Amino acid sequence: MTPRLNPAVVAVAVLVYLFLVGPLVIILGASLSDTTYLTFPPQGLSLRWFENIFEISAFRRTIVTSFQVAFLATMLALVIGVPAAYALSRYRVQLPPWLGTLFVLPIIVPEIVFGFALLKSVAAGAGAPIFVALLAGHTVLVLPYVVRVIGASLSSFDFSIEEAAVSLGSPPMKTFFTIVLPNVRAGVIAAFILAFITSLNDVSVSLFLTGPGISTLPIQILAHVEQFFDPTVASVSVLLMVLTVGFMAIVERTLGLTFLAK
Amino acid sequence: MTQPLDLQSVTARYGTTKVLEDLSLAVGAGELVSLLGASGCGKTTTLRLIAGFLAPTSGAIRLGGRDLTRLPAYRRNIGLVFQNYALFPHLSVRGNVGFGLKQRGVPTAERERRVRAMLDRVGLGEYADRLPAALSGGQRQRVALARALVIEPPLLMFDEPLSNLDAKLRVDMRVEIRQLQRSNGTTSVYVTHDQEEAFSISDRVAIMHAGRVMQFDRPETLYRRPANVFVARFVGFENIVPMRVTAREGASIQAEVAGIALALTEEAMGPVPDRFLLGARPEGLLATPVAATGIPATIGIRTYLGRAYQYRCDTPAGPLVANGPLSQPLDPGTQAWLVPVPDQCCVLSPERTP
Ligand SMILES: Nc1ncnc2c1ncn2[C@@H]1O[C@H](COP(=O)(O)OP(=O)(O)OP(=O)(O)O)[C@@H](O)[C@H]1O
Ligand SMILES: [Mg+2]
């Protein structure tokens, strides 16, 4: 028995796909256009706008900065967030309930306010280098995602397994690495990818924390479109997509888990 | 290797709620002791205390003369079998069983040999490379058992290890556990809320209630000579009747409840104080339609037990539950007499009523 498809449902599904895939197709098309302005469908085929990315030094620099910041911020957030998520689930009964909320604040508070606050406090106040301010901002930005995702993964973890290991003679710290972490690996990978992409795509926090000489790719894209209307931004977008997908593939391969399917 | 375990007036709390109160328990070397009690009475808490996952607010825990009270859990060297088995999901059966030996720095070759031997002993030789997820409940239970046994601990603890298994497997496994424990002579603490399981497997049973040990004795003693009303009800003395001795002649006693005189004998029930509570199982009160020296009763609801009929009755001493023979069914509303069967009755002191 095959269920009959409701035409309205099919129509909605098609529309959703169009909205999701449409922009990607348009960007890909526009990036390949031979014209000096953004257009779709592309007129003529050329890779010159991809080459152009690398001729503009600001793009070269910001791509590197963006990936550096995304990677380092993600790692920092993991170093802080994994123990935090662990403590929040392990000692849920003993800890005050607002403590968990604390880690979601950066999501709840509008990012612009938060970014501005950070600019004031970190960069200007302490006279910290711009890169440090940027890194700190992004770490705080992605931390809630890390805590949430790993927390969700730990909520199905049976802590008596940890006690079993301890009773067999494994010290608590070692137990965390040999027993707890391997069992929430899928969550760690998911958190990594989510945090990385969040940082890579961020505009609002970065806007307040970039400065002379140091900027991120999304900010550079904004700056570029203010002056030029050529297809370079489309090419950068495609490049960014390819790099992100490639990076995710590497993370997935090396850690060997199909968390996205779950 | 076998060592006695001694809990000395241990008190434990979770936050502000007292869970264990002044609990003392002495388990002899090589003995298997069960903690038996209703849900929430503190059985698991007692195990967690001994294992070191919870610190007592007062009192001491000693194993083989060594004070464990301040020793961190990972250095206590106690084999623990969890209720849900708590196997490491990411490790194979071999990895699970070998874990404790690895922590002890046992060289790979010897570890492998001991794990093999242990797996063969619990009948899991062919499953060494499986992950726990690919095992049945009974097999997981064996892995948990092997994992705790292979480190040859001076103390083994089981937290309702059979509660997830079906009835038949449960009986088989408890015999196996008893055999393994006997052959190793390892001091053991076994938690269950199944009375039959506790009585069949244990040298002694501690009946717990609200964080206290109500009685700690051999199963036979608990079953026949409960020390207080709580334990009496727990082991099936459903009828508790307050009585007064009116006359004694040697071991024969005349006692009275609500003006009804009964003849009893100390030979079957042990010493009887002047005021006492008579505990009687349903099979300890024989329901008979012929007028006899018993408690007059009006038959209420009759239920069929297979080996006998059971009656809920109204009597001058209050509602009582009695059994009667299959050959003589009594109808609701009829008059009957309930005659105490001394060796199915017990005597309780009223002052020990909690
Ligand atoms: N982490 C905790 N925080 C607060 N109270 C707890 C905690 N764990 C247990 N308790 C309480 O302590 C009491 C004893 O719990 P325990 O787990 O020892 O019971 P148990 O005898 O093992 O019961 P069961 O047969 O259901 O396993 C219960 O009243 C329970 O509510
Ligand atoms: Mg329990």
Side-chain angles (χ1 to χ4, degrees):
Chain A
M1 190 181 79
T2 39
R4 270 190 44 211
L5 285 174
N6 186 330
V9 173
V10 175
V12 170
V14 169
L15 274 180
V16 168
Y17 274 110
L18 276 183
F19 278 118
L20 284 176
V21 180
L24 300 184
V25 173
I26 292 174
I27 287 170
L28 183 63
S31 73
L32 293 169
S33 178
D34 200 18
T35 53
T36 56
Y37 49 91
L38 270 174
T39 178
F40 186 83
Q43 293 164 16
L45 277 182
S46 125
L47 288 176
R48 55 187 272 215
W49 300 113
F50 283 91
E51 287 161 22
N52 193 39
I53 303 171
F54 296 98
E55 271 153 27
I56 303 172
S57 67
F59 274 117
R60 288 201 307 266
R61 268 187 286 111
T62 53
I63 287 176
V64 173
T65 308
S66 267
F67 272 83
Q68 276 176 342
V69 168
F71 182 75
L72 291 176
T74 301
M75 292 314 280
L76 275 176
L78 283 175
V79 168
I80 304 165
V82 172
Y86 170 81
L88 284 175
S89 340
R90 182 79 170 83
Y91 306 105
R92 190 164 28 96
V93 201
Q94 289 103 308
L95 292 173
W98 53 261
L99 210 61
T101 320
L102 200 67
F103 284 94
V104 215
L105 274 187
I107 299 183
I108 299 170
V109 178
E111 290 164 22
I112 300 220
V113 178
F114 156 69
F116 190 60
L118 221 95
L119 167 73
K120 286 245 159 116
S121 62
V122 180
I130 292 168
F131 187 82
V132 173
L134 195 59
L135 189 55
H138 277 234
T139 305
V140 178
L141 172 72
V142 301
L143 187 58
Y145 297 100
V146 169
V147 173
R148 281 282 130 160
V149 172
I150 293 177
S153 182
L154 277 168
S155 68
S156 60
F157 181 76
D158 175 6
F159 284 98
S160 61
I161 288 165
E162 192 189 24
E163 291 185 344
V166 171
S167 79
L168 288 166
S170 172
M173 198 62 162
K174 185 176 173 194
T175 305
F176 178 78
F177 287 104
T178 57
I179 300 296
V180 182
L181 266 193
N183 281 300
V184 294
R185 199 165 59 158
V188 174
I189 295 169
F192 185 101
I193 291 179
L194 190 62
F196 191 86
I197 292 173
T198 304
S199 164
L200 205 60
N201 289 333
D202 171 73
V203 173
S204 36
V205 169
S206 307
L207 204 52
F208 287 97
L209 294 174
T210 48
I214 292 196
S215 185
T216 63
L217 187 56
I219 304 293
Q220 167 59 24
I221 293 175
L222 279 183
H224 189 83
V225 289
E226 275 172 11
Q227 294 176 37
F228 308 96
F229 198 61
D230 60 27
T232 311
V233 282
S235 312
V236 170
S237 305
V238 172
L239 185 69
L240 195 57
M241 268 193 287
V242 170
L243 285 178
T244 310
V245 170
F247 186 78
M248 279 189 355
I250 292 172
V251 170
E252 250 244 290
R253 274 285 158 76
T254 47
L255 297 167
L257 270 166
T258 49
F259 80 95
L260 283 173
K262 285 189 187 171
Chain B
M1 200 66 210
T2 111
Q3 296 175 352
L5 169 75
D6 205 1
L7 297 192
Q8 298 164 337
S9 27
V10 172
T11 299
R13 335 164 166 262
Y14 283 114
T16 51
T17 46
K18 225 179 226 180
V19 180
L20 295 182
E21 179 127 32
D22 197 22
L23 184 131
S24 295
L25 197 70
V27 182
E31 198 179 21
L32 192 158
V33 162
S34 283
L35 307 180
L36 175 64
S39 187
C41 70
K43 306 181 295 291
T44 299
T45 306
T46 309
L47 290 198
R48 293 175 56 78
L49 213 61
I50 301 170
F53 300 132
L54 186 70
T57 45
S58 65
I61 301 160
R62 309 180 70 84
L63 181 62
R66 205 162 51 114
D67 191 352
L68 291 188
T69 322
R70 309 254 166 276
L71 206 63
Y74 73 95
R75 290 180 51 202
R76 292 200 183 188
N77 195 23
I78 293 172
L80 202 50
V81 180
F82 289 75
Q83 174 164 8
N84 56 359
Y85 316 140
L87 300 180
F88 309 128
H90 62 300
L91 297 181
S92 65
V93 167
R94 175 185 283 114
N96 268 277
V97 177
F99 188 86
L101 296 176
K102 207 168 170 181
Q103 306 311 312
R104 283 159 179 73
V106 175
T108 316
E110 193 198 334
R111 189 165 80 222
E112 184 60 24
R113 189 181 54 71
R114 281 170 69 178
V115 168
R116 278 253 133 243
M118 184 48 73
L119 284 179
D120 287 340
R121 203 161 149 203
V122 296
L124 284 178
E126 311 146 48
Y127 298 91
D129 294 314
R130 292 247 189 124
L131 284 179
L135 296 177
S136 74
Q139 291 164 339
R140 282 179 211 181
Q141 211 283 333
R142 279 163 217 261
V143 177
L145 196 61
R147 187 177 67 176
L149 283 170
V150 77
I151 59 172
E152 295 175 8
L155 176 67
L156 267 174
M157 302 202 293
F158 304 83
D159 192 355
E160 305 196 30
L162 309 180
S163 61
N164 292 332
L165 305 180
D166 67 50
K168 163 109 176 57
L169 196 54
R170 208 148 58 208
V171 174
D172 294 348
M173 284 303 300
R174 81 184 183 214
V175 174
E176 266 180 59
I177 289 182
R178 183 55 161 159
Q179 273 168 355
L180 283 169
Q181 188 267 341
R182 271 269 167 80
S183 67
N184 286 22
T186 312
T187 312
S188 302
V189 180
Y190 189 100
V191 162
T192 177
H193 57 236
D194 181 336
Q195 186 185 323
E196 186 193 313
E197 190 173 301
F199 280 18
S200 67
I201 202 175
S202 318
D203 294 308
R204 282 192 295 165
V205 176
I207 294 185
M208 290 181 65
H209 173 62
R212 294 163 175 277
V213 172
M214 303 305 286
Q215 190 175 355
F216 181 36
D217 254 316
R218 297 176 51 229
E220 293 85 342
T221 312
L222 287 170
Y223 194 78
R224 294 183 44 111
R225 299 267 178 269
N228 50 57
V229 172
F230 179 85
V231 175
R233 286 198 194 281
F234 196 90
V235 298
F237 291 93
E238 288 183 43
N239 306 295
I240 307 280
V241 185
M243 305 206 85
R244 198 165 57 83
V245 174
T246 51
R248 294 176 185 268
E249 197 183 313
S252 300
I253 285 165
Q254 289 292 321
E256 171 273 336
V257 53
I260 307 145
L262 286 179
L264 297 168
T265 157
E266 278 189 327
E267 271 158 21
M269 304 195 307
V272 180
D274 281 348
R275 286 185 168 278
F276 66 101
L277 299 170
L278 180 74
R281 296 199 157 84
E283 55 266 40
L285 286 180
L286 182 67
T288 160
V290 285
T293 54
I295 304 168
T298 311
I299 300 293
I301 292 164
R302 178 177 74 197
T303 50
Y304 174 63
L305 299 183
R307 63 201 142 77
Y309 284 114
Q310 188 160 93
Y311 305 97
R312 308 212 153 251
C313 314
D314 265 331
T315 75
L320 295 176
V321 185
N323 281 6
L326 291 176
S327 56
Q328 228 171 20
L330 302 172
D331 291 322
T334 55
Q335 182 70 30
W337 280 264
L338 311 181
V339 183
V341 184
D343 64 358
Q344 294 291 340
C345 291
C346 68
V347 170
L348 302 159
S349 309
E351 59 271 13
R352 299 185 79 152
T353 314

